[in-house]
């Protein structure tokens, strides 16, 4: 019935005040805020260290009783609970230097009658029987007592949104999925603070767990509304700088960090023992798996391990000595590839160099993780390449070959969908020999700004293999042979003299030595202009080099051309006249298809696959990449072993990450494949290798993290099933809305799937309210 004064002990050294057990002085009055939770028989008391008057306490009395009758509250030693012990440590040591409110909620027995023990004599005041050391730890706890004396926390529906702080939808989506994981909700609404591990060097001194626990409690508050998770965001930025600022991030990456951080903050193991990993050495899988799992639990024991961690079997086989290595590793989530999009469709146009057949486009499918060698092998099979042939693959741009795919180890991602590729069939025995590349050009019909017509490249270059001896007539004959498929049948080709003409006075009889750089620089300054095209022939030949593309020299029929030993390609420009163009149909050279034709305002056909197909791709045996070579203990060398993964034991909460985002050194891409995933019964019985376990392998979907949009931006939301409402809800930042149709949660935006193990009945649990009871 009266406001009491709390006595803190402090000792002053003139500079700061420290809480001790000596020199007791009265500091500030304590304000009691008393409230009743309607429909219950319990009270909540909040104590503040903020300076105020006794009038506030009288107002609290009026709230409780309309007739302003005195309120009797009893408390006794040993019955007060404090939570969030570290909160006080972050407050100023001098209580007079801070005016902020520090609510402290105290548990007490039902007010209908006083307790039967010795504390009953003090009915007219609140007896706080805690010392200064207890109060110095401070804290906050929303706590009620039911009539039986058990601690019961009444929680809300969980339908509370999170404000977007600026590109934080990725965080909101992941948090909502975790905050509706029933086992984690039960845990963080309970007395989880007793498991905080502040000594773990791999953890965050418990601060991440405290912050996430506070976030969960706010999301499950009674009659709560959306709120701003600024404090939680600040903790993330502090311990994971990659999430600082306001850039868009990956919800799965945040989820991985958060689960790992919560595990370390809540790890029950204070001193981790060392355990050496042993190979299987022919022992039974069950024995080896239990050994690995036991070693893991000896160092890792938390609610996250209990709930979210499983184990898979990894098998490596040496391709030479056939050594088999089997290990069992824990996993927090499964990252599954999308099999329908692990392959890439590419179109390449194949040319013959002997004129036997015309150009023909071939479409092949190769793994997106493949290299140039993979593409060339697939293309060789598609065009029925003979054993005595090889392919020279190049990229065409502006009627020139700008890049040759000669390094077989280069990543296939270097080729874009809009590129144009050609492949030339060459004799296999000529590998390493030089080739001639014919670039076609013709006179433009319009007059340029300089008042004269100019030459312009057109079509796709043609390629032929060069013999040991080269002259102008050899060049001419090689071109005629390559042009055979394009010749108009009604006209006969002109002879060499008619085609090349004899009127040019430039270098009429001299030889061309391409082995000298000096000759390259000086001789090529003689350019053939429009005046050289006075003959009635169909074309003229000019010599170019890759080093000096803007310089060229006219080639005569009797001129000898000498290449340097290191020169691999001879670039020849073919200047066509009108009467020469009439003899050939060169239109196919102008209609080269792209690697993958993309049309504006149209979408590729929707690719679909099932979640089981993703699992099959995950456990499929594959060779390791050249950058992931395995050190074989049998060969004592690194080998490109084959690797296979199998699921061994599954967790209570199974998190499945669909690998929609692909990265390489040069490109990044998002896959919009529609994955058909089960909602009510994900049956993994056929995927589990451990047949000795008695746990159910059936799972039920309860949350989905979605990503809409492209790789560089987009938006994250979450679909969550609410047990109390028996309904799916869409959590879009602060907006929460119900979904009428359950199947609407299946979209191509599904990114992270959250499943919980189903024991017995596979129907969703029908629960009207969520209540956590502690004895």
């Amino acid at each position: 019935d009266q406001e009491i004064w709390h006595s803190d002990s402090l000792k002053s050294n003139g500079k700061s005040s420290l809480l001790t057990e000596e020199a007791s002085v009265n500091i500030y009055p304590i304000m009691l805020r008393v409230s009743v939770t309607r429909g219950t028989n319990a009270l909540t008391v909040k104590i503040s260290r903020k300076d105020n008057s006794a009038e506030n306490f009288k107002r609290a009395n009026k709230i409780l009783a309309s007739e302003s009758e005195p309120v009797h509250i009893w408390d006794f030693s040993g019955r007060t609970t404090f939570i969030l012990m570290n909160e006080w440590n972050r407050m100023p040591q001098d209580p007079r230097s801070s005016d902020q409110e520090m609510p402290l909620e105290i548990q007490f027995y039902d007010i209908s009658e006083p307790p039967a023990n010795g504390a009953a004599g003090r009915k007219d005041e609140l007896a706080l029987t805690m010392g200064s050391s207890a109060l110095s730890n401070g804290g906050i706890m929303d706590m009620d007592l039911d009539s039986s004396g058990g601690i019961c926390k009444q929680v809300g529906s969980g339908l509370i949104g999170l404000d977007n702080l600026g590109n934080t939808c990725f965080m909101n989506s992941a948090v909502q999925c975790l905050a509706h994981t029933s086992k984690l909700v039960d845990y963080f609404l309970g007395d989880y603070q007793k498991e905080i591990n502040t000594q773990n060097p791999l953890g965050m001194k418990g601060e991440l767990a405290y912050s996430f626990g506070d976030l969960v409690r706010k999301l499950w508050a009674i009659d709560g509304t959306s709120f701003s998770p600024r404090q939680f965001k600040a903790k993330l930025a502090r311990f994971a700088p990659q999430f600082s600022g306001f850039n868009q991030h990956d919800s799965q990456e945040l989820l991985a960090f958060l689960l790992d951080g919560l595990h370390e903050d809540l790890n029950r193991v204070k001193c981790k023992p060392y355990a050496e990993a042993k190979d299987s050495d022919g022992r039974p899988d069950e024995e080896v798996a239990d050994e690995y799992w036991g070693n893991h639990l000896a160092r890792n024991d938390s609610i996250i391990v209990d709930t979210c961690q499983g184990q898979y079997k990894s098998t490596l086989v040496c391709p030479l000595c056939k050594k088999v290595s089997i290990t069992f590793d824990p996993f927090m989530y499964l990252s599954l590839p999308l099999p329908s999009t692990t392959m890439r469709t590419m179109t390449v146009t194949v040319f013959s160099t002997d004129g036997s057949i015309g150009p023909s486009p071939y479409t092949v499918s190769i793994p997106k993780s493949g290299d140039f060698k993979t593409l060339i092998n697939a293309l060789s099979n598609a065009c029925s390449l003979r054993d005595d042939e090889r392919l020279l693959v190049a990229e065409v741009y502006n009627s020139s070959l700008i890049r040759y795919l000669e390094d077989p180890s280069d990543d296939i991602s270097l080729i874009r969908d809009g590129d144009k590729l050609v492949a030339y069939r060459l004799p296999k025995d000529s590998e390493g020999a030089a080739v001639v590349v014919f670039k076609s050009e013709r006179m433009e019909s319009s007059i340029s700004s300089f008042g004269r017509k100019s030459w312009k490249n057109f079509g796709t270059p043609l390629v032929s293999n060069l013999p040991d001896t080269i002259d102008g007539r050899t060049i001419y004959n090689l071109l005629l042979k390559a042009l055979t498929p394009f010749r108009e049948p009604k006209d006969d080709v002109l002879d060499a003299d008619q085609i090349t003409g004899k009127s040019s006075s430039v270098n009429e009889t001299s030889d061309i030595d391409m082995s000298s750089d000096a000759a390259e620089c000086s001789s090529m300054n003689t350019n053939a202009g429009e005046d050289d095209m006075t003959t009635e022939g169909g074309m003229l030949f000019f010599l170019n080099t890759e080093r000096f593309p803007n310089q060229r020299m006219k080639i005569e029929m009797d001129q000898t051309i000498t290449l340097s030993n290191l020169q691999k390609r001879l670039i020849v420009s073919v200047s066509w006249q009108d009467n020469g163009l009439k003899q050939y149909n060169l239109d196919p050279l102008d209609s080269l298809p792209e690697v993958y034709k993309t049309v504006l305002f149209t979408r590729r056909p929707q690719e679909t696959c099932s979640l089981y197909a993703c699992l099959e791709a995950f456990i499929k045996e594959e060779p390791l990449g050249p950058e992931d070579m395995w050190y074989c203990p049998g060969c004592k060398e690194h080998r490109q072993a084959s690797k296979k993964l199998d699921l061994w034991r599954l967790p209570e909460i199974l998190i499945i990450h669909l690998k929609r985002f692909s990265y390489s050194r040069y490109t990044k891409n998002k896959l919009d494949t529609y994955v058909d995933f089960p909602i009510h019964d994900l049956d993994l019985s056929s995927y589990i290798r451990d047949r000795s376990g008695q746990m159910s392998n059936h799972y039920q979907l309860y949350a989905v993290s979605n990503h809409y949009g492209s790789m560089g931006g987009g938006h994250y939301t979450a679909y969550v099933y609410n047990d109390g409402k028996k309904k799916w809800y869409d959590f879009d930042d602060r907006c929460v809305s119900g979904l009428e149709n359950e199947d609407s949660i299946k979209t191509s935006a599904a990114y992270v799937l959250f499943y919980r193990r189903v024991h017995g009945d596979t129907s969703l649990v029908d629960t009207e309210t969520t209540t956590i009871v502690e004895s």
Side-chain angles (χ1 to χ4, degrees), residues 438-441 455 475-477 479-481 483 487 493-502 532-533 535-542 554-557 572-581 583-584 586:
F438 295 102
K439 296 171 54 178
S440 296
E441 62 180 15
W455 294 96
I475 297 295
Y476 164 65
N477 290 329
L479 177 61
L480 287 185
K481 193 173 184 180
L483 286 172
R487 186 182 305 173
V493 67
L494 299 176
D495 58 39
D497 292 339
Q498 288 179 307
I499 291 180
T500 59
K502 288 293 185 180
D532 294 310
M533 305 298 292
T535 177
E536 294 182 358
M539 55 185 124
L540 290 176
F541 298 98
F542 296 91
K554 184 179 177 183
I555 303 175
E556 301 296 343
M557 290 294 100
V572 175
S573 293
V574 182
S575 299
W576 290 84
Q577 287 187 310
D578 292 340
N579 56 345
L581 289 173
Q583 303 176 58
Y584 296 92
L586 301 180

Side-chain angles (χ1 to χ4, degrees), residues 472-492:
R473 191 167 296 279
T474 303
I475 297 295
Y476 164 65
N477 290 329
L478 289 175
L479 177 61
L480 287 185
K481 193 173 184 180
L483 286 172
T484 303
F486 308 97
R487 186 182 305 173
E488 293 286 3
K490 61 183 179 179
D491 293 316
D492 294 328

Side-chain angles (χ1 to χ4, degrees), residues 307-487:
T307 305
C308 301
Q309 285 197 355
Q311 188 182 34
Y312 63 79
K313 173 185 175 182
S314 175
T315 304
L316 291 169
V317 180
C318 177
L320 296 183
C321 71
K322 304 303 179 183
K323 166 69 177 176
V324 178
S325 174
I326 298 177
T327 57
F328 293 84
D329 302 305
F331 67 85
M332 192 86 74
Y333 51 86
L334 296 179
S335 289
L336 305 185
L338 306 185
S340 61
T341 52
T342 58
M343 304 298 289
R344 181 180 180 185
T345 300
M346 305 181 71
T347 300
V348 182
T349 304
V350 178
F351 286 76
S352 67
T353 57
D354 59 2
S356 57
I357 55 175
S360 179
Y362 291 90
T363 301
V364 295
S365 294
I366 61 173
K368 286 191 173 181
S369 59
D371 50 24
F372 287 176
K373 181 180 179 181
T374 307
L375 171 62
I376 293 174
N377 289 340
L379 193 59
S380 300
N381 293 330
C383 70
S384 302
L385 193 71
R386 299 194 307 266
D387 294 337
D388 60 347
E389 290 181 314
R390 64 182 178 93
L391 288 178
L392 174 65
V393 184
E395 179 184 348
V396 178
Y397 178 76
N398 196 23
S399 300
S400 300
L401 300 183
I402 62 170
R403 179 174 54 147
Y404 297 86
L405 280 58
E406 294 179 307
D407 188 346
S409 63
D410 278 349
D411 199 309
I412 204 68
S413 62
L414 295 174
I415 303 173
R416 299 166 298 181
D417 283 352
D419 293 341
K420 296 181 179 181
L421 296 184
V422 291
Y424 301 97
R425 305 173 75 130
L426 295 168
K428 196 170 188 178
D429 57 7
S430 66
E431 192 167 359
V435 297
V436 56
V437 179
F438 295 102
K439 296 171 54 178
S440 296
E441 62 180 15
R442 58 189 168 196
M443 186 71 68
E444 288 186 312
S445 58
S446 60
I447 299 177
S448 67
S449 58
F450 298 100
R452 58 182 298 176
K453 295 182 178 181
S454 60
W455 294 96
K456 183 179 180 180
N457 293 333
F458 75 96
T460 303
L462 300 176
V463 172
S464 291
N465 199 56
L466 281 174
D468 295 334
T469 303
I470 313 169
D471 59 16
R473 191 167 296 279
T474 303
I475 297 295
Y476 164 65
N477 290 329
L478 289 175
L479 177 61
L480 287 185
K481 193 173 184 180
L483 286 172
T484 303
F486 308 97
R487 186 182 305 173

Side-chain angles (χ1 to χ4, degrees), residues 15 17 86 106 172 187 282 307 378 491 557 653 676 683-684 769:
K15 295 182 179 180
S17 298
N86 284 351
I106 302 176
N172 295 346
Y187 180 82
T307 305
D491 293 316
M557 290 294 100
I653 300 299
D676 186 10
D683 185 3
L684 301 179
T769 59

